Structures are given as structure tokens and as C-alpha cells.
Amino acid sequence: MKKLLIGLLVLGLSPQLFAQVEELSEVTVYATNYKYLNDVNSEEVASIPVRELERKVANFDVKESEFYHDDYDEYIVSFYIPEGKILAAYDRDGKILRTAERFKNVNLPLAVKNAVVGKFPGWSITEDIYAVTFYDTRGTFKKYKLKLENGEKTLRVKLDEKGNFL
């Protein structure tokens, strides 16, 4: 019985002894659009679809697309999801030059919610639009357009990402 158990143990471990080891080639990662991601991604925007689409825009390789041609200096590409869209301009190397982003009914940052509650107690947010413009040379501007309702009254307000009314 002992010999049978030892034999089964040796037989069970023998495939691992003959496992193949393959060395993988080196991979180089280029962070072409890190500035865009750093500017538009903030911890305050908790909406997952927005973050996912912004990552897709940053990782898009214009050189691998079917419409790439060396003669053009700029490429305009549109990205869509049900919650919104991003229009991005890339240079011939794949760097993002500018974007225009618009999303509906996203999760609002706490600063925006607190500013609305503080200034308009008793009002509720019924619709919101999150708009972002990014320029490689000028940076990012984020704006929230909110529709507030209190009974039969309707009010529209604009705020930045820090909760300041515009």
C-alpha cells in the first residue's frame, strides 16, 4: 500500500518536472497620452462609463486604424457610449491635441452636490450634463449643467468640478 501511494505521488508530480519554460520577448509601453488622462481623470468623477471611454480615447492608436495616412497632420475620431460621446483630435503620431466630451446623467462629484444643496435647499437635480474640453496646450475645463426642480418650478445652473457656480 505504501509503495502504491508513493508511486502515485511520483507519477502525479512527474508532469511538472517536464514543463516547458519559455522566455518572453521584451515589451515596450509608450505613454503617449498620459497628459490627457491625468487632466481629465479625477477622483471626484466616479462615473465608470466616463472613465472607461476616456481610457479608450487615450489608448486609441491612430496609426493602426484603417484611415491612417502619412499625408494628414490631424485625425478627428468620435467615440460613443449610451451615456455620452467624445470627439478627439490626434496628431499623426497618435498624441491627443484636443477633445470635446459630453455625458448625460452621470454620477456628480460630492462638491457639486453639496454646492447645489447649500444654495438651493429643497430642490432636486432631475437632469445633468457633464462637459469637458481638453487642449494639450491649455489644459482641461470641466463644467456641469444641471436642471433643478422644486414642485412646478424649474431652474438651470452651471457649476465647475469644484462646485463653484458659473
Side-chain angles (χ1 to χ4, degrees), residues 5 8 10-11 17 36 55 62 68 71 83 106 142 145 152 158 161 165:
L5 286 176
L8 287 174
V10 169
L11 190 62
L17 295 175
Y36 166 74
R55 283 190 196 122
V62 78
Y68 179 77
D71 294 342
E83 293 85 359
V106 298
K142 300 175 185 179
K145 298 177 184 178
E152 303 238 347
K158 295 178 186 177
E161 75 271 10
F165 286 89

Side-chain angles (χ1 to χ4, degrees), residues 2 4 9 17 19-20 24 36 40 42 47 50 57 64 70 72 79 87 90 92 96 98 101 105 131 139 155 159:
K2 235 183 200 184
L4 180 65
L9 182 64
L17 295 175
Q20 294 180 355
L24 297 175
Y36 166 74
V40 296
S42 66
S47 201
V50 173
V57 169
E64 295 296 321
D70 280 340
Y72 302 121
F79 299 86
L87 184 65
Y90 296 88
R92 70 172 57 180
I96 297 176
R98 64 188 174 279
E101 307 176 25
N105 300 322
L155 183 64
L159 295 93

Side-chain angles (χ1 to χ4, degrees), residues 89-145:
Y90 296 88
D91 67 4
R92 70 172 57 180
D93 296 323
K95 181 180 177 186
I96 297 176
L97 302 173
R98 64 188 174 279
T99 65
E101 307 176 25
R102 184 179 174 99
F103 300 96
K104 287 185 177 184
N105 300 322
V106 298
N107 192 8
L108 298 173
L110 190 59
V112 172
K113 291 178 188 176
N114 289 339
V116 170
V117 169
K119 192 165 183 176
F120 300 101
W123 289 72
S124 61
I125 301 170
T126 56
E127 292 179 24
D128 66 81
I129 295 174
Y130 173 53
V132 181
T133 53
F134 167 80
Y135 292 94
D136 184 45
T137 55
R138 290 185 261 168
T140 304
F141 181 71
K142 300 175 185 179
K143 180 173 35 174
Y144 293 89
K145 298 177 184 178

